[in-house]
Coordinates of all heavy atoms in Angstrom, one line a residue:
M1 N 49.0 9.3 49.3 CA 48.1 9.8 48.3 C 48.2 8.9 47.1 O 47.5 9.0 46.1 CB 48.5 11.2 47.9 CG 48.3 12.2 49.1 SD 46.6 12.7 49.7 CE 45.5 11.6 49.2
A2 N 49.2 8.0 47.1 CA 49.4 7.0 46.1 C 48.1 6.1 45.9 O 47.7 5.8 44.7 CB 50.6 6.1 46.2
S3 N 47.4 5.9 47.0 CA 46.1 5.2 46.9 C 45.0 5.9 46.1 O 44.2 5.2 45.4 CB 45.7 4.8 48.3 OG 45.3 6.0 49.0
V4 N 45.1 7.2 46.1 CA 44.1 8.0 45.3 C 44.4 7.8 43.9 O 43.5 7.4 43.0 CB 44.1 9.4 45.7 CG1 43.2 10.3 44.7 CG2 43.7 9.7 47.1
C5 N 45.6 8.0 43.5 CA 46.1 7.8 42.1 C 45.9 6.4 41.7 O 45.5 6.1 40.5 CB 47.5 8.3 41.9 SG 47.9 10.0 42.5
G6 N 46.4 5.4 42.4 CA 46.3 4.0 42.1 C 44.8 3.6 41.9 O 44.5 2.8 41.1
G7 N 44.0 4.1 42.7 CA 42.6 3.7 42.7 C 42.0 4.2 41.4 O 41.2 3.6 40.8
C8 N 42.3 5.4 41.0 CA 41.8 6.0 39.8 C 42.3 5.2 38.6 O 41.5 4.9 37.6 CB 42.2 7.4 39.7 SG 41.5 8.3 38.3
L9 N 43.6 4.8 38.6 CA 44.2 4.1 37.5 C 43.5 2.7 37.5 O 43.3 2.1 36.4 CB 45.7 4.0 37.6 CG 46.4 5.2 37.3 CD1 47.8 5.0 37.7 CD2 46.3 5.6 35.8
A10 N 43.3 2.0 38.6 CA 42.7 0.7 38.7 C 41.3 0.7 38.1 O 40.9 -0.2 37.4 CB 42.7 0.2 40.1
L11 N 40.5 1.7 38.4 CA 39.2 1.8 37.9 C 39.2 1.9 36.3 O 38.4 1.3 35.7 CB 38.4 3.0 38.5 CG 38.0 2.9 40.0 CD1 37.5 4.2 40.4 CD2 36.9 1.9 40.0
Q12 N 40.1 2.8 35.9 CA 40.1 2.9 34.5 C 40.6 1.6 33.7 O 40.1 1.2 32.7 CB 41.2 4.1 34.1 CG 40.6 5.4 34.5 CD 41.6 6.5 34.3 OE1 41.9 6.9 33.1 NE2 42.2 7.0 35.3
D13 N 41.6 1.0 34.4 CA 42.2 -0.4 33.8 C 41.0 -1.4 33.8 O 41.0 -2.2 32.9 CB 43.3 -0.8 34.7 CG 44.0 -1.9 34.0 OD1 44.4 -1.8 32.8 OD2 44.3 -3.0 34.6
A14 N 40.1 -1.4 34.8 CA 39.0 -2.3 34.8 C 37.9 -1.9 33.9 O 37.0 -2.7 33.8 CB 38.5 -2.4 36.3
G15 N 38.0 -0.8 33.2 CA 37.0 -0.3 32.2 C 35.9 0.4 32.8 O 34.9 0.6 32.3
V16 N 36.0 0.8 34.1 CA 35.0 1.6 34.7 C 35.0 3.0 34.2 O 36.1 3.6 34.2 CB 35.1 1.7 36.2 CG1 34.1 2.5 37.0 CG2 35.1 0.2 36.9
P17 N 33.9 3.5 33.5 CA 34.0 4.9 33.0 C 34.0 5.9 34.1 O 33.2 5.8 35.2 CB 32.6 5.0 32.3 CG 31.7 3.9 32.8 CD 32.6 2.8 33.4
I18 N 35.0 6.8 34.2 CA 35.1 7.8 35.0 C 34.9 9.2 34.3 O 35.3 9.3 33.2 CB 36.4 7.8 35.8 CG1 37.6 7.9 34.9 CG2 36.4 6.6 36.7 CD1 38.8 8.2 35.7
K19 N 34.3 10.2 35.0 CA 34.2 11.5 34.3 C 35.5 12.3 34.2 O 35.8 12.8 33.2 CB 33.2 12.4 35.1 CG 31.7 11.8 35.0 CD 30.8 12.7 35.7 CE 29.3 12.1 35.5 NZ 28.3 13.0 36.0
F20 N 36.2 12.2 35.4 CA 37.6 13.0 35.5 C 38.5 12.0 36.2 O 38.2 11.6 37.3 CB 37.4 14.3 36.2 CG 36.3 15.1 35.6 CD1 35.0 15.3 36.2 CD2 36.6 16.0 34.5 CE1 34.0 16.1 35.7 CE2 35.6 16.7 33.9 CZ 34.3 16.8 34.5
P21 N 39.9 12.0 35.8 CA 40.9 11.3 36.7 C 41.1 12.3 37.9 O 40.9 13.4 37.8 CB 42.1 11.3 35.8 CG 41.9 12.3 34.7 CD 40.3 12.5 34.6
V22 N 41.4 11.6 39.0 CA 41.7 12.2 40.3 C 43.1 11.8 40.7 O 43.5 10.7 40.5 CB 40.6 11.7 41.3 CG1 40.9 12.3 42.6 CG2 39.2 12.1 40.9
A23 N 43.7 12.8 41.3 CA 45.1 12.7 41.9 C 45.2 13.2 43.2 O 44.4 14.2 43.6 CB 46.2 13.2 40.9
G24 N 46.1 12.7 44.0 CA 46.4 13.2 45.4 C 47.8 13.5 45.5 O 48.7 13.0 44.9
I25 N 48.1 14.5 46.4 CA 49.4 14.9 46.7 C 49.5 15.2 48.3 O 48.6 15.7 48.7 CB 49.9 16.1 45.8 CG1 51.5 16.3 46.1 CG2 49.1 17.3 46.1 CD1 52.0 17.2 45.0
A26 N 50.7 14.9 48.8 CA 50.9 15.1 50.3 C 52.0 16.3 50.2 O 53.0 16.2 49.6 CB 51.5 13.9 50.9
M27 N 51.6 17.3 51.1 CA 52.4 18.4 51.2 C 53.0 18.6 52.6 O 52.3 18.0 53.5 CB 51.7 19.8 50.9 CG 51.1 19.7 49.5 SD 52.2 19.6 48.2 CE 52.9 21.3 48.3
G28 N 54.1 19.2 52.9 CA 54.6 19.4 54.2 C 55.0 20.7 54.4 O 55.2 21.6 53.5
L29 N 55.3 21.2 55.7 CA 55.7 22.5 56.0 C 56.7 22.5 57.2 O 56.5 21.8 58.1 CB 54.6 23.4 56.4 CG 54.9 24.8 56.9 CD1 55.5 25.7 55.9 CD2 53.7 25.5 57.6
V30 N 57.8 23.1 57.0 CA 58.8 23.4 58.1 C 58.8 24.9 58.4 O 59.3 25.6 57.4 CB 60.2 22.8 57.8 CG1 61.2 23.1 58.8 CG2 60.1 21.4 57.6
L31 N 58.4 25.3 59.4 CA 58.4 26.8 59.7 C 59.8 27.3 60.1 O 60.2 28.3 59.6 CB 57.4 27.1 60.9 CG 55.9 27.2 60.4 CD1 55.1 27.5 61.6 CD2 55.7 28.2 59.4
D32 N 60.4 26.7 61.0 CA 61.7 27.1 61.6 C 62.8 26.4 60.7 O 63.4 25.5 61.2 CB 61.9 26.9 63.0 CG 63.1 27.5 63.6 OD1 63.8 28.3 62.9 OD2 63.4 27.2 64.8
T33 N 63.2 27.0 59.6 CA 64.2 26.3 58.7 C 65.6 26.6 59.3 O 66.6 26.0 58.9 CB 64.1 26.7 57.3 OG1 64.1 28.1 57.2 CG2 62.8 26.2 56.6
Q34 N 65.8 27.6 60.1 CA 67.1 27.8 60.7 C 67.6 26.6 61.5 O 68.8 26.3 61.6 CB 67.1 29.1 61.6 CG 67.0 30.4 60.8 CD 67.0 31.6 61.7 OE1 66.6 31.5 62.9 NE2 67.6 32.7 61.3
E35 N 66.7 25.9 62.1 CA 67.1 24.7 62.8 C 67.7 23.7 61.9 O 68.6 22.8 62.3 CB 65.7 24.0 63.4 CG 65.9 22.8 64.2 CD 64.5 22.3 64.7 OE1 63.7 23.1 64.8 OE2 64.5 21.2 65.0
F36 N 67.4 23.8 60.6 CA 68.0 22.8 59.6 C 69.0 23.4 58.7 O 69.3 23.0 57.6 CB 66.9 22.2 58.8 CG 65.9 21.5 59.6 CD1 64.7 22.1 59.9 CD2 66.2 20.2 60.2 CE1 63.8 21.4 60.7 CE2 65.3 19.6 61.1 CZ 64.0 20.2 61.2
G37 N 69.5 24.7 59.1 CA 70.5 25.4 58.3 C 70.0 26.3 57.2 O 70.7 26.9 56.4
G38 N 68.6 26.5 57.2 CA 68.0 27.4 56.3 C 68.1 28.9 56.7 O 68.6 29.3 57.7
D39 N 67.4 29.7 55.9 CA 67.4 31.2 56.3 C 66.3 31.6 57.3 O 66.1 32.7 57.5 CB 67.4 31.9 54.9 CG 66.1 31.7 54.2 OD1 65.1 31.1 54.7 OD2 65.9 32.3 53.1
G40 N 65.5 30.7 57.8 CA 64.4 31.0 58.6 C 63.0 31.1 58.0 O 62.0 31.1 58.7
S41 N 63.0 31.2 56.6 CA 61.6 31.4 56.0 C 61.0 30.0 55.9 O 61.7 28.9 55.8 CB 61.9 31.9 54.6 OG 62.7 31.2 53.7
P42 N 59.7 29.9 55.9 CA 59.0 28.6 55.8 C 59.3 27.8 54.6 O 59.5 28.4 53.5 CB 57.6 29.0 55.9 CG 57.5 30.4 56.4 CD 58.8 31.1 56.0
L43 N 59.5 26.5 54.7 CA 59.8 25.6 53.5 C 58.6 24.7 53.4 O 58.2 24.1 54.2 CB 61.0 24.9 53.9 CG 61.5 23.8 52.8 CD1 61.8 24.5 51.5 CD2 62.6 23.0 53.4
I44 N 58.1 24.9 52.1 CA 56.9 24.0 51.8 C 57.5 22.8 51.0 O 58.1 23.1 49.9 CB 55.9 24.8 51.0 CG1 55.4 25.9 51.9 CG2 54.7 23.9 50.5 CD1 54.5 26.9 51.2
L45 N 57.1 21.6 51.3 CA 57.7 20.5 50.7 C 56.4 19.7 49.9 O 55.3 19.7 50.4 CB 58.1 19.5 51.7 CG 59.2 20.0 52.7 CD1 59.4 19.0 53.8 CD2 60.5 20.3 52.0
S46 N 56.8 19.3 48.7 CA 55.8 18.5 47.9 C 56.1 17.1 48.0 O 57.3 16.7 48.0 CB 55.8 19.0 46.5 OG 55.4 20.4 46.3
D47 N 55.1 16.2 47.9 CA 55.2 14.8 47.7 C 56.0 14.2 48.9 O 57.0 13.5 48.7 CB 55.9 14.4 46.4 CG 55.6 13.0 46.0 OD1 54.6 12.4 46.5 OD2 56.5 12.4 45.3
I48 N 55.6 14.5 50.2 CA 56.3 14.0 51.3 C 56.1 12.5 51.5 O 55.1 12.1 51.2 CB 55.9 14.9 52.6 CG1 54.4 14.7 52.9 CG2 56.2 16.4 52.3 CD1 54.1 15.4 54.3
T49 N 57.0 12.1 52.4 CA 56.9 10.6 52.8 C 56.7 10.6 54.3 O 56.6 11.6 55.0 CB 58.2 9.9 52.4 OG1 59.3 10.5 53.0 CG2 58.4 9.9 50.9
G50 N 56.8 9.5 54.9 CA 56.6 9.4 56.3 C 57.5 10.2 57.2 O 57.1 10.7 58.2
A51 N 58.8 10.3 56.8 CA 59.7 10.9 57.6 C 59.4 12.5 57.7 O 59.4 13.1 58.8 CB 61.2 10.8 57.1
E52 N 59.1 13.1 56.6 CA 58.7 14.5 56.6 C 57.3 14.6 57.3 O 57.1 15.7 58.0 CB 58.6 15.1 55.2 CG 59.9 15.2 54.4 CD 60.1 14.0 53.5 OE1 59.4 12.9 53.5 OE2 61.1 13.9 52.8
D53 N 56.4 13.7 57.1 CA 55.1 13.8 57.7 C 55.3 13.8 59.3 O 54.7 14.7 60.0 CB 54.3 12.6 57.3 CG 52.9 12.7 57.8 OD1 52.5 13.7 58.4 OD2 52.0 11.8 57.4
A54 N 56.2 13.0 59.9 CA 56.4 12.9 61.2 C 57.1 14.1 61.8 O 56.7 14.5 63.0 CB 57.1 11.6 61.5
S55 N 58.0 14.6 61.2 CA 58.9 15.7 61.7 C 58.6 17.1 61.4 O 59.1 18.0 61.9 CB 60.4 15.4 61.5 OG 60.6 15.4 60.1
G56 N 57.6 17.2 60.4 CA 57.3 18.6 59.9 C 56.4 19.3 60.8 O 55.8 18.7 61.7
D57 N 56.1 20.6 60.5 CA 55.2 21.4 61.4 C 53.8 21.2 60.9 O 52.8 21.5 61.6 CB 55.7 22.8 61.4 CG 57.0 23.0 62.0 OD1 57.3 22.4 63.0 OD2 57.8 23.8 61.5
M58 N 53.5 20.8 59.6 CA 52.2 20.7 59.1 C 52.3 19.7 58.1 O 53.3 19.5 57.3 CB 51.7 22.0 58.5 CG 50.3 21.8 57.8 SD 50.0 23.3 56.8 CE 51.0 23.1 55.3
D59 N 51.3 18.8 57.9 CA 51.2 18.0 56.7 C 49.8 18.2 56.2 O 48.7 18.4 56.9 CB 51.4 16.4 57.0 CG 50.5 15.8 57.8 OD1 49.5 15.2 57.3 OD2 50.7 15.8 59.1
L60 N 49.7 18.2 54.9 CA 48.5 18.6 54.1 C 48.3 17.6 53.0 O 49.3 17.4 52.2 CB 48.6 20.0 53.6 CG 47.7 20.6 52.7 CD1 46.4 20.9 53.4 CD2 48.3 22.0 52.1
K61 N 47.2 16.9 52.8 CA 46.9 16.0 51.8 C 45.7 16.5 51.1 O 44.7 16.8 51.6 CB 46.6 14.6 52.3 CG 48.0 13.9 52.8 CD 47.8 13.2 54.1 CE 49.0 12.6 54.5 NZ 49.5 13.2 55.7
I62 N 45.9 16.5 49.6 CA 44.9 17.1 48.9 C 44.6 16.2 47.7 O 45.7 15.8 47.1 CB 45.2 18.5 48.3 CG1 45.5 19.6 49.5 CG2 44.3 19.1 47.4 CD1 45.9 20.8 49.1
A63 N 43.4 16.0 47.4 CA 43.0 15.1 46.2 C 42.1 15.9 45.4 O 41.2 16.7 46.0 CB 42.3 13.8 46.7
G64 N 42.1 15.8 44.2 CA 41.2 16.4 43.3 C 41.5 16.2 41.8 O 42.3 15.4 41.4
N65 N 40.7 17.0 41.0 CA 40.9 16.8 39.5 C 41.3 18.2 39.1 O 41.7 19.2 39.7 CB 39.6 16.3 38.8 CG 38.5 17.2 39.1 OD1 38.6 18.4 39.4 ND2 37.3 16.6 38.9
E66 N 41.3 18.4 37.7 CA 41.7 19.7 37.1 C 40.8 20.8 37.5 O 41.2 21.9 37.7 CB 41.7 19.6 35.6 CG 42.8 18.7 35.0 CD 42.7 18.7 33.5 OE1 41.8 19.3 32.9 OE2 43.7 18.2 32.9
S67 N 39.6 20.5 38.0 CA 38.6 21.6 38.3 C 38.7 22.0 39.6 O 38.3 23.1 40.0 CB 37.2 21.1 38.1 OG 37.0 20.8 36.7
G68 N 39.3 21.2 40.6 CA 39.4 21.7 41.9 C 39.7 20.5 43.0 O 40.0 19.4 42.5
I69 N 39.5 20.9 44.2 CA 39.8 19.9 45.3 C 38.5 19.1 45.6 O 37.5 19.8 45.9 CB 40.2 20.7 46.6 CG1 41.7 21.4 46.2 CG2 40.4 19.8 47.8 CD1 42.2 22.3 47.3
S70 N 38.7 17.9 45.9 CA 37.6 17.0 46.3 C 37.7 16.5 47.8 O 36.8 16.2 48.4 CB 37.2 15.9 45.3 OG 38.4 15.1 45.2
A71 N 39.0 16.5 48.2 CA 39.2 16.1 49.5 C 40.4 16.7 50.2 O 41.4 17.1 49.3 CB 39.5 14.6 49.6
F72 N 40.4 17.1 51.4 CA 41.4 18.0 52.0 C 41.7 17.5 53.4 O 40.7 17.5 54.1 CB 41.0 19.4 51.9 CG 41.9 20.6 52.5 CD1 42.6 21.2 51.6 CD2 42.0 20.7 53.9 CE1 43.5 22.3 52.1 CE2 42.8 21.6 54.3 CZ 43.5 22.5 53.5
Q73 N 42.9 17.3 53.8 CA 43.1 16.8 55.2 C 44.5 17.5 55.7 O 45.5 17.5 54.9 CB 43.3 15.3 55.3 CG 43.5 14.8 56.6 CD 44.9 14.7 57.1 OE1 45.9 14.5 56.2 NE2 45.2 15.0 58.3
M74 N 44.3 18.0 56.9 CA 45.6 18.8 57.3 C 45.8 18.5 58.8 O 44.9 18.6 59.5 CB 45.4 20.3 57.1 CG 46.5 21.2 57.5 SD 46.5 22.9 57.1 CE 45.3 23.5 58.3
D75 N 47.0 18.3 59.2 CA 47.4 18.2 60.6 C 48.5 19.3 60.8 O 49.4 19.4 60.0 CB 48.0 16.8 60.9 CG 47.1 15.7 60.8 OD1 45.9 15.9 61.1 OD2 47.5 14.6 60.3
T76 N 48.3 20.1 62.0 CA 49.3 21.0 62.2 C 49.9 20.7 63.7 O 49.1 20.2 64.6 CB 48.7 22.5 62.3 OG1 47.7 22.5 63.2 CG2 48.2 22.9 60.9
K77 N 51.1 21.0 63.8 CA 51.8 20.7 65.1 C 52.3 22.0 65.8 O 52.8 22.0 66.8 CB 52.9 19.8 64.9 CG 52.5 18.5 64.3 CD 53.7 17.7 63.9 CE 53.3 16.5 63.1 NZ 54.2 16.0 62.1
V78 N 51.9 23.2 65.1 CA 52.4 24.5 65.6 C 51.2 25.5 65.4 O 50.3 25.3 64.6 CB 53.6 25.0 64.9 CG1 54.8 24.1 65.0 CG2 53.4 25.2 63.4
V79 N 51.3 26.6 66.0 CA 50.4 27.7 65.7 C 51.1 28.7 65.0 O 52.4 28.7 64.9 CB 49.9 28.4 67.1 CG1 49.0 27.4 67.8 CG2 51.0 29.0 67.9
G80 N 50.3 29.6 64.3 CA 51.0 30.7 63.5 C 51.2 30.3 62.0 O 52.0 31.1 61.4
I81 N 50.5 29.5 61.3 CA 50.6 29.3 60.0 C 49.7 30.3 59.3 O 48.5 30.4 59.5 CB 50.2 27.9 59.5 CG1 51.1 26.8 60.1 CG2 50.1 27.7 58.0 CD1 50.7 25.4 60.0
T82 N 50.4 31.2 58.6 CA 49.7 32.4 58.1 C 49.0 32.0 56.8 O 49.2 31.1 56.1 CB 50.8 33.5 57.8 OG1 51.6 33.1 56.8 CG2 51.5 33.9 59.0
L83 N 48.1 33.0 56.5 CA 47.2 32.8 55.2 C 48.2 32.8 54.0 O 48.0 32.0 53.0 CB 46.2 33.9 55.0 CG 45.0 33.7 55.9 CD1 44.0 34.9 55.8 CD2 44.3 32.4 55.6
P84 N 49.2 33.7 53.9 CA 50.1 33.7 52.7 C 50.9 32.4 52.6 O 51.0 31.8 51.5 CB 51.1 34.8 52.9 CG 50.4 35.7 53.8 CD 49.5 34.9 54.7
V85 N 51.3 31.7 53.7 CA 52.0 30.3 53.8 C 51.0 29.3 53.2 O 51.3 28.5 52.4 CB 52.5 30.0 55.1 CG1 53.0 28.6 55.1 CG2 53.7 31.0 55.4
M86 N 49.7 29.4 53.7 CA 48.7 28.4 53.3 C 48.4 28.6 51.8 O 48.2 27.6 51.0 CB 47.4 28.6 54.1 CG 47.4 27.9 55.4 SD 47.7 26.1 55.3 CE 46.5 25.5 54.2
E87 N 48.3 29.8 51.3 CA 48.0 30.1 50.0 C 49.1 29.5 49.0 O 48.9 28.8 48.0 CB 47.9 31.6 49.6 CG 47.6 31.9 48.2 CD 47.5 33.4 47.9 OE1 48.0 34.2 48.7 OE2 46.9 33.7 46.9
K88 N 50.4 29.7 49.5 CA 51.5 29.2 48.7 C 51.5 27.7 48.7 O 51.7 27.0 47.7 CB 52.9 29.6 49.3 CG 54.1 29.3 48.6 CD 55.3 29.8 49.1 CE 56.5 29.4 48.3 NZ 57.8 29.8 48.9
A89 N 51.2 27.0 49.8 CA 51.0 25.6 50.0 C 50.0 25.0 49.0 O 50.2 24.1 48.4 CB 50.9 25.1 51.4
L90 N 48.8 25.7 49.0 CA 47.7 25.2 48.1 C 48.0 25.4 46.7 O 47.7 24.5 45.8 CB 46.4 26.0 48.4 CG 45.9 25.6 49.8 CD1 44.7 26.6 50.2 CD2 45.3 24.2 49.8
L91 N 48.7 26.5 46.3 CA 49.2 26.7 44.9 C 50.2 25.7 44.5 O 50.1 25.1 43.4 CB 49.7 28.2 44.7 CG 48.6 29.3 44.7 CD1 49.2 30.6 44.8 CD2 47.6 29.1 43.7
Q92 N 51.1 25.4 45.4 CA 52.1 24.4 45.1 C 51.5 23.1 44.9 O 51.9 22.2 44.1 CB 53.2 24.4 46.2 CG 54.5 23.7 45.9 CD 55.6 23.9 46.9 OE1 55.8 25.1 47.2 NE2 56.2 22.9 47.4
A93 N 50.5 22.8 45.8 CA 49.8 21.5 45.7 C 49.0 21.4 44.4 O 49.0 20.2 43.8 CB 48.8 21.3 46.9
R94 N 48.5 22.5 43.9 CA 47.7 22.4 42.6 C 48.7 22.2 41.6 O 48.3 21.4 40.6 CB 47.0 23.8 42.4 CG 46.2 23.8 41.1 CD 45.4 25.0 40.9 NE 46.2 26.2 41.0 CZ 45.7 27.4 40.8 NH1 44.4 27.7 40.8 NH2 46.5 28.4 40.8
E95 N 49.9 22.8 41.6 CA 50.8 22.5 40.5 C 51.3 21.0 40.5 O 51.4 20.4 39.5 CB 52.1 23.4 40.6 CG 51.9 24.8 40.3 CD 53.0 25.7 40.7 OE1 54.1 25.2 40.9 OE2 52.8 26.9 40.7
G96 N 51.5 20.5 41.7 CA 51.9 19.1 41.8 C 50.8 18.1 41.4 O 51.0 17.2 40.8
R97 N 49.6 18.5 41.8 CA 48.5 17.6 41.4 C 48.3 17.6 39.9 O 47.9 16.6 39.3 CB 47.2 18.1 42.1 CG 46.0 17.1 42.1 CD 44.9 17.6 43.0 NE 44.1 18.7 42.3 CZ 44.1 19.9 42.9 NH1 44.8 20.3 44.0 NH2 43.5 20.9 42.3
Q98 N 48.4 18.8 39.3 CA 48.3 18.9 37.8 C 49.4 18.1 37.1 O 49.2 17.4 36.1 CB 48.4 20.4 37.4 CG 48.2 20.6 35.9 CD 46.8 20.0 35.5 OE1 45.8 20.5 36.0 NE2 46.7 19.2 34.4
H99 N 50.6 18.1 37.7 CA 51.7 17.3 37.1 C 51.3 15.8 37.2 O 51.6 15.1 36.2 CB 53.0 17.6 37.9 CG 54.2 16.8 37.5 ND1 54.9 17.1 36.3 CD2 54.8 15.7 37.9 CE1 55.9 16.2 36.2 NE2 55.8 15.3 37.2
I100 N 50.8 15.4 38.4 CA 50.4 13.9 38.4 C 49.3 13.6 37.5 O 49.3 12.6 36.9 CB 50.0 13.7 39.9 CG1 51.2 13.8 40.9 CG2 49.4 12.3 40.1 CD1 50.9 14.0 42.4
L101 N 48.3 14.5 37.4 CA 47.2 14.3 36.5 C 47.7 14.1 35.0 O 47.2 13.3 34.3 CB 46.1 15.4 36.6 CG 45.2 15.3 37.8 CD1 44.5 16.6 38.0 CD2 44.3 14.2 37.8
N102 N 48.6 15.0 34.7 CA 49.3 14.8 33.3 C 49.9 13.5 33.1 O 49.8 12.9 32.1 CB 50.2 15.9 33.0 CG 49.5 17.3 32.8 OD1 48.4 17.4 32.5 ND2 50.3 18.4 33.1
S103 N 50.6 13.0 34.2 CA 51.2 11.7 34.0 C 50.2 10.5 34.0 O 50.3 9.6 33.3 CB 52.1 11.5 35.3 OG 53.2 12.3 35.3
L104 N 49.1 10.7 34.8 CA 48.0 9.7 34.8 C 47.4 9.7 33.3 O 47.1 8.6 32.8 CB 47.0 10.0 35.7 CG 47.4 9.8 37.2 CD1 46.2 10.2 38.1 CD2 47.8 8.4 37.5
S105 N 47.2 10.8 32.7 CA 46.6 10.8 31.4 C 47.5 10.3 30.3 O 47.0 9.5 29.5 CB 46.4 12.4 31.0 OG 45.4 12.9 31.8
M106 N 48.8 10.5 30.5 CA 49.8 9.9 29.5 C 49.7 8.3 29.7 O 49.8 7.6 28.7 CB 51.1 10.4 29.7 CG 51.3 11.9 29.2 SD 52.9 12.5 29.2 CE 53.7 11.8 30.5
D107 N 49.6 7.8 30.9 CA 49.6 6.5 31.2 C 48.4 5.7 30.6 O 48.5 4.6 30.0 CB 49.6 6.1 32.6 CG 51.0 6.3 33.3 OD1 52.0 6.4 32.4 OD2 51.2 6.3 34.5
T108 N 47.2 6.4 30.7 CA 46.0 5.8 30.3 C 45.8 5.8 28.7 O 45.2 5.0 28.1 CB 44.7 6.5 30.8 OG1 44.7 7.8 30.5 CG2 44.7 6.2 32.4
K109 N 46.5 6.9 28.1 CA 46.5 7.0 26.7 C 47.4 5.9 25.9 O 47.2 5.5 24.8 CB 46.9 8.4 26.2 CG 45.8 9.4 26.6 CD 46.3 10.8 26.1 CE 45.3 11.8 26.6 NZ 45.7 13.2 26.4
S110 N 48.4 5.4 26.7 CA 49.4 4.5 26.1 C 48.9 3.1 26.2 O 49.5 2.1 25.7 CB 50.7 4.6 26.8 OG 50.6 4.2 28.1
T111 N 47.7 2.8 27.0 CA 47.3 1.5 27.0 C 46.0 1.2 26.2 O 45.5 2.0 25.6 CB 46.9 1.2 28.5 OG1 45.9 2.1 29.0 CG2 48.1 1.1 29.4

């Protein structure tokens, strides 16, 4: 998702007018956390890298701006991902995307 953020910053740096900055975040899910010493409840990971992507039960990539999602990609390796777990993952992704957008805004204001 760094390419989404980097692309947005590159356009701004080149002087291309954009309506809204866009950021992307990669999320992951581990359903059976007891396997890793957890309490068994699903674990939602933010800003995953290749290792979590490969060994997790789900990976979810979301790009968008403050108003909402413009791109969404998800791979699942298990069945049984419930709506409450998906809702939590989407809310956590929104918080992460907002954090990244705030950082992008600070970077563009300082140049």
Side-chain angles (χ1 to χ4, degrees):
M1 298 290 18
S3 60
V4 173
C5 302
C8 186
L9 287 172
L11 288 170
Q12 292 176 70
D13 192 49
V16 176
I18 61 170
K19 291 184 179 185
F20 304 102
V22 176
I25 188 164
M27 307 294 291
L29 173 69
V30 177
L31 281 178
D32 185 11
T33 56
Q34 285 182 331
E35 181 180 338
F36 304 103
D39 64 3
S41 60
L43 177 63
I44 299 170
L45 308 167
S46 295
D47 199 23
I48 63 170
T49 62
E52 293 97 351
D53 189 358
S55 61
D57 295 320
M58 174 189 80
D59 67 88
L60 172 68
K61 287 142 181 113
I62 299 177
N65 60 26
E66 288 183 354
S67 299
I69 296 171
S70 55
F72 181 102
Q73 183 273 326
M74 181 175 77
D75 294 323
T76 59
K77 299 170 190 148
V78 296
V79 295
I81 298 174
T82 64
L83 286 176
V85 169
M86 277 304 302
E87 180 181 23
K88 185 176 178 186
L90 289 169
L91 290 171
Q92 192 169 317
R94 181 173 61 185
E95 291 173 12
R97 198 173 69 248
Q98 186 60 50
H99 178 79
I100 295 166
L101 285 167
N102 289 339
S103 294
L104 291 177
S105 295
M106 289 187 327
D107 285 346
T108 58
K109 289 177 184 173
S110 65
T111 55

